[in-house]
Amino acid sequence: MQQLGLGIAITGSGSAVPPTALSNEQLSQIVETSDEWIASRTGIRERHVGSPELSLADLAAQAGEAALSMAALPAAEVDLIILATSTADDLFGSAALIQAKLGASRAVAFDLTAACSGFLFGLVTAAQFIRAGTYQNVLLIGADMLSRWTDWSDRRTCILFGDGAGAVLIQANERDCLLGFELRSDGTQNNCLNLAYQPQAKSVLEGVDLGQGNYQFITMNGQEVYRFAVRQVPEVIEKSLYRAKLTIDQIDWLLLHQANQRILDAVSQRLNVPPEKVISNLAHYGNTSAASIPLALDEEVRQGRVKPGDIIASSGFGAGLTWGAAIFRWGR
């Protein structure tokens, strides 16, 4: 296979959300809240939720198909599929099923879990495979269905999360469009945001005890996550800019994980990025975890706002705790 170079280009994008939207007004019929209360604290007006019949693999495949179509690449030419998700249909992984749904018969496929940072971790992982000359065409999908694991009686968390999928096609390129990145983890803060397994003791034989159970609803210390994000995200973006040999005024767009409008505002203000350069669509989708960055990117591309050659500073942050940033150029 002829190698085009040791760089990468992001050549296509796609996204998909369930058809059912759940508004703040509707949520106020479930828990004690209001549209004004939610919107003023989070910036969210509605979120999309998947039906019992909709699988994560279906949603992810839709986003993947759209990205391949934009790039005019047949699925049979995809070498690798990376699914960034924390809510796979199957605990053993859903990426291979997506490979089958797409007809990407020669592609290797695996899941990657880094919660809301998953898409950026996947982007950097994909770049290493391409830069090493191993693969040329990588389909990266970020998809989550957090409604499955939301406590709909907890107004602190049920107002935040939604379901969605976003995808990008990453291809080998003579000019490297991934200009710089920085990834971080801090397990000492793991308890701030969890979707935890809760074992129950089960005795199978005398003297042989084990734990069996299920995963519990999402729990979050919102104040700690906010403080973590507004402190760490500007720093990691600045480090990525340093690696890219760029300054913040040279970027065209700031694209953050869509968690909370207050976080987006605080980070952009600390970086001195004007509001017109900040991409935000969480009013319509809420926090879709690993899907949020590619979903927002795809909307901006299809609306013609993000154009080929534009430089984007992006950052993901969330459970783990994990966070990271990447500076990349859209297109070849």
Side-chain angles (χ1 to χ4, degrees), residues 20-329:
T20 302
L22 181 63
S23 69
N24 290 347
E25 288 86 353
Q26 289 173 300
L27 266 182
S28 69
Q29 301 173 36
I30 304 172
V31 293
E32 185 180 350
T33 189
S34 68
D35 176 63
E36 189 279 331
W37 192 91
I38 298 171
S40 64
R41 288 161 175 79
T42 69
I44 300 168
R45 294 285 184 180
E46 63 180 352
R47 69 288 295 145
H48 289 249
V49 293
S51 67
E53 298 79 21
L54 182 66
S55 71
L56 181 94
D58 289 335
L59 206 60
Q62 291 174 32
E65 286 174 352
L68 292 174
S69 177
M70 180 183 287
L73 184 80
E77 294 187 25
V78 175
D79 302 305
L80 172 65
I81 297 171
I82 300 175
L83 172 65
T85 188
S86 300
T87 56
D89 299 318
D90 185 335
L91 196 56
F92 290 156
S94 292
L97 180 57
I98 294 166
Q99 178 235 39
K101 287 179 177 291
L102 291 172
S105 55
R106 83 175 193 196
V108 177
F110 64 82
D111 291 31
L112 180 155
T113 301
C116 301
S117 306
F119 178 79
L120 279 186
F121 278 49
L123 174 63
V124 172
T125 301
Q128 306 318 305
F129 278 111
I130 292 175
R131 287 171 170 176
T134 308
Y135 300 124
Q136 287 193 342
N137 302 312
V138 180
L139 182 63
L140 170 61
I141 305 172
D144 270 304
M145 297 184 72
L146 295 177
S147 66
R148 294 172 169 176
W149 301 105
T150 297
D151 182 352
W152 293 98
S153 66
D154 179 9
R155 74 168 189 166
R156 297 169 302 174
T157 57
C158 75
I159 64 173
L160 300 174
F161 301 113
D163 302 339
V168 294
L169 181 66
I170 305 167
Q171 297 185 277
N173 197 56
E174 291 290 348
R175 181 174 68 162
D176 197 351
C177 295
L178 178 58
L179 308 177
F181 67 86
E182 181 83 8
L183 302 180
R184 297 287 186 87
S185 300
D186 181 4
T188 65
Q189 299 186 77
N190 176 264
N191 63 344
C192 292
L193 180 53
N194 296 108
L195 201 173
Y197 173 74
Q198 182 64 53
Q200 295 180 350
K202 180 179 178 61
S203 179
V204 293
L205 287 171
E206 185 177 353
V208 181
D209 297 329
L210 49 82
Q212 286 190 331
N214 205 342
Y215 289 89
Q216 304 302 295
F217 292 131
I218 297 168
T219 60
M220 182 174 67
N221 184 327
Q223 290 183 340
E224 285 300 319
V225 171
Y226 175 86
R227 283 194 284 264
F228 147 76
V230 299
R231 181 178 67 252
Q232 299 290 0
V233 170
E235 177 185 324
V236 81
I237 289 174
E238 288 172 343
K239 287 185 179 294
S240 299
L241 286 166
Y242 175 79
R243 295 182 188 278
K245 297 180 173 60
L246 294 171
T247 57
I248 194 66
D249 59 294
Q250 292 176 284
I251 71 163
D252 297 293
W253 302 102
L254 178 64
L255 174 54
L256 304 178
H257 164 51
Q258 306 289 292
N260 185 307
Q261 190 63 45
R262 286 181 170 180
I263 294 177
L264 271 62
D265 293 343
V267 170
S268 61
Q269 288 167 10
R270 292 194 181 196
L271 291 170
N272 293 316
V273 176
E276 60 270 19
K277 285 188 173 185
V278 181
I279 295 173
S280 174
N281 71 350
L282 65 84
H284 301 295
Y285 303 107
N287 181 342
T288 56
S289 192
S292 77
I293 290 175
L295 198 164
L297 174 63
D298 182 54
E299 283 200 337
E300 296 297 301
V301 169
R302 292 180 185 273
Q303 291 170 8
R305 294 187 66 206
V306 171
K307 298 177 174 59
D310 281 1
I311 296 175
I312 300 169
S314 186
S315 180
F317 48 90
L321 294 177
T322 60
W323 68 105
I327 315 300
F328 61 89
R329 182 181 291 108

